Amino acid sequence: MNIEGTARKVLEKSEWVAIATSGAEGAHVVATWSEYIIALGFREGRVLIPAGHMHKTEENLKADNRIELLCATRKVKGEHGPGKGFSIKGTAQMETEGENFEAVQARYPWARAALVVDMEKIEDQL
């Protein structure tokens, strides 16, 4: 699985991506800049995201590794309106060592970890 076609256009034209996890206190949402994901590229069905903080996200993933990413833009025509979006559902973990972390650190030295998302499903939105 990879991000391609319309989903890739949406990601390239959106400014940010919402990142949702679930924990004992319910849903938790953070965000990252789309350009970080684009710059790191996609690796065999994986998305890499530099994590500067995201401590609650990390805590939630330890208990429930399910994650959902969501982005949208009005710069790509939608089927039912003036914009298009998509979501990625999958599982994730924070990595502080290894190949994924090194790739993130090489580009973003401020990152304390790599949020590694294994994509399971991409769905159109809007």
Side-chain angles (χ1 to χ4, degrees):
M1 175 174 294
N2 212 343
I3 301 172
E4 48 196 29
T6 303
R8 185 169 184 109
K9 288 179 191 173
V10 169
L11 181 62
E12 290 172 347
K13 294 187 181 286
S14 67
E15 285 190 54
W16 55 277
V17 175
I19 303 165
T21 58
S22 183
E25 298 172 10
H28 175 72
V29 179
V30 296
T32 193
W33 299 112
S34 299
E35 67 186 54
Y36 293 167
I37 295 171
I38 294 163
L40 290 166
F42 312 106
R43 299 162 183 248
E44 300 172 13
R46 285 191 165 158
V47 175
L48 301 182
I49 300 170
H53 295 285
M54 297 189 193
H55 297 287
K56 186 68 173 175
T57 299
E58 182 174 23
E59 181 182 322
N60 286 351
L61 290 172
K62 287 178 182 176
D64 181 350
N65 70 347
R66 293 176 299 162
I67 195 164
E68 187 167 357
L69 310 179
L70 178 67
C71 73
T73 181
R74 288 180 178 247
K75 295 175 184 174
V76 175
K77 184 173 177 4
E79 294 151 18
H80 305 289
K84 187 74 179 152
F86 74 97
S87 68
I88 295 172
K89 294 181 181 180
T91 57
Q93 66 278 340
M94 291 285 191
E95 295 182 8
T96 57
E97 58 185 28
E99 183 181 324
N100 293 321
F101 177 65
E102 289 170 11
V104 168
Q105 273 274 293
R107 182 97 184 175
Y108 303 104
W110 50 262
R112 68 171 188 86
L115 174 57
V116 180
V117 178
D118 291 310
M119 298 183 287
E120 295 175 359
K121 188 174 190 179
I122 298 176
E123 296 181 323
D124 285 345
Q125 303 286 327
L126 303 173

